[in-house]
Amino acid sequence: MTIRQPTHTPYDGSSKLFTIGLKPLELERWIEVDEFLLPHLAEKRRLYAEIPEKVFVEEHGTRDAQQEVLDLLSAYLPAKYPESHRAAGSTVEVIGLEGAVDEPPSGLREAPLFRASLLVQEDLILMRRGGNGWRLAAGSLCFPSSWSLLEKFGKPLQEIHAPVPGFGPGTRPADLINRMFDGLQGQAVERFNWSIQADDALNHPLYSAQRIDRATNRPTRFADGDINAHAFIRVERQTLRKLPVSRDILFTIRIHLDPLSVLARHADRIALAASFAEQLNALDQAQLDYKGLTADRDRLVGYLAQMAKGA
């Protein structure tokens, strides 16, 4: 993986974990494209070929809304990113993937959301309003952060968020999220989520298996305690945008992966490491369990504390 400065650092205190944290988003900044576009799209194509039923779902009657997403992206991408996307008839193609042949299972090629998903690094989720609130009606989720598209398909928001501490059915955050979805109009919003994982895998449907550290004889994700070699910061940039015709909501999720060690070379490394450690220390037991950090939180905090001291 190419080592570079992080694109986003929400662990600086600007986006606290287990908060809603929605902020206005200018549509000009809706989709992100970087130097990993082609390898990320190649990974999507591999997943579509190997496990299509796990990374794409759709309800009957969502194709018009899916087409709306494809149309929006076809207009947006060549204008915003002419160096990576160009118009091709009524749609758009990714420069460098011209003539690439995709052979998804029968029926998937005709799904506009499938075609849209192979234009961007983001995962694309369609939420539709029904009697039980906003439900997951269609989606391309190639890069999940420890959740399953099949398990969430067709479920309303309050059930989707049931495993999240403090966000389950009947909680104030669950009610607020539903009201925010209802109130979303022409504007877009964004939020960030972040976690730590023990590899650089984009497709991360489950927490990394824990191993026994030989030095401490305790379970850990990080073999032999080598956090510097194995820990990656997983940042999710999420956006919400209500589609103008269908009135469905498009939820996008863009994954950024950075080695934890990259913070040591950041100009603001002391402040970033201190904030990161402080937020990890603030997580309660249920939150640690949900993030899969129960066994490793203290070790991570110690590593970051040393960095914050300039060590």
Side-chain angles (χ1 to χ4, degrees):
M1 172 178 286
T2 302
I3 304 298
R4 59 168 191 169
Q5 292 297 296
T7 302
H8 301 290
T9 57
Y11 37 85
D12 60 6
S14 59
S15 296
K16 299 292 181 68
L17 293 174
F18 299 99
T19 61
I20 297 173
L22 288 173
K23 299 175 182 178
L25 172 67
E26 303 87 355
L27 288 178
E28 197 269 340
R29 296 195 302 110
W30 177 37
I31 298 296
E32 293 184 337
V33 171
D34 62 20
E35 68 269 30
F36 299 114
L37 175 65
L38 295 184
H40 285 192
L41 294 184
E43 177 65 358
K44 283 190 177 188
R45 289 150 61 95
R46 181 187 71 82
L47 293 165
Y48 275 131
E50 295 181 5
I51 52 170
E53 73 286 350
K54 294 183 179 180
V55 296
F56 190 89
V57 295
E58 60 175 339
E59 286 183 1
H60 177 73
T62 60
R63 288 284 175 96
D64 286 348
Q66 293 182 40
Q67 184 64 47
E68 203 174 346
V69 173
L70 180 58
D71 291 344
L72 287 173
L73 288 172
S74 296
Y76 177 88
L77 291 168
K80 172 69 175 177
Y81 299 109
E83 69 283 0
S84 60
H85 294 79
R86 63 183 167 214
S90 60
T91 184
V92 62
E93 64 184 10
V94 178
I95 297 171
L97 289 182
E98 302 91 337
V101 177
D102 295 299
E103 296 183 355
S106 176
L108 195 55
R109 182 185 292 273
E110 289 74 36
L113 198 65
F114 162 74
R115 288 182 280 143
S117 74
L118 291 176
L119 298 175
V120 295
Q121 291 159 265
E122 283 82 355
D123 283 322
L124 306 173
I125 304 293
L126 270 180
M127 303 297 294
R128 176 162 290 184
R129 190 71 162 88
N132 293 326
W134 292 88
R135 71 182 185 278
L136 198 165
S140 166
L141 184 74
C142 291
F143 306 144
S145 298
S146 299
W147 63 284
S148 164
L149 183 62
L150 285 175
E151 288 181 4
K152 306 298 185 182
F153 181 40
K155 291 184 177 180
L157 277 171
Q158 59 269 26
E159 292 184 27
I160 289 173
H161 290 146
V164 183
F167 280 75
T171 62
R172 184 171 181 272
D175 292 339
L176 281 173
I177 292 171
N178 268 298
R179 290 204 294 270
M180 288 175 181
F181 271 53
D182 286 338
L184 194 63
Q185 298 302 326
Q187 78 278 25
V189 293
E190 72 175 346
R191 71 181 296 273
F192 289 88
N193 193 15
W194 50 272
S195 58
I196 299 286
Q197 65 184 56
D199 53 42
D200 61 354
L202 287 164
N203 179 259
H204 218 268
L206 298 173
Y207 292 120
S208 297
Q210 291 188 334
R211 297 172 289 272
I212 299 298
D213 182 273
R214 290 183 291 183
T216 64
N217 202 36
R218 296 178 59 192
T220 177
R221 291 187 188 179
F222 306 106
D224 301 321
D226 195 351
I227 289 174
N228 185 63
H230 298 288
F232 284 78
I233 308 168
R234 186 182 184 95
V235 172
E236 299 173 61
R237 177 184 181 258
Q238 305 171 356
T239 78
L240 294 168
R241 180 178 181 180
K242 186 165 283 185
L243 301 177
V245 178
S246 66
R247 309 304 289 166
D248 290 344
I249 287 178
L250 177 66
F251 175 41
T252 75
I253 311 164
R254 171 66 201 281
I255 301 299
H256 294 269
L257 285 172
D258 300 296
L260 184 61
S261 58
V262 79
L263 294 187
R265 296 186 293 279
H266 198 284
D268 297 322
R269 63 186 179 278
I270 292 176
L272 284 174
S275 175
F276 207 138
E278 179 183 356
Q279 292 184 69
L280 288 175
N281 262 330
L283 297 178
D284 63 28
Q285 189 62 54
Q287 293 168 338
L288 285 170
D289 290 345
Y290 178 77
K291 285 288 185 181
L293 293 172
T294 302
D296 297 302
R297 190 263 302 274
D298 292 347
R299 182 177 296 179
L300 287 164
V301 167
Y303 176 87
L304 291 162
Q306 287 295 110
M307 191 184 298
K309 292 177 183 177

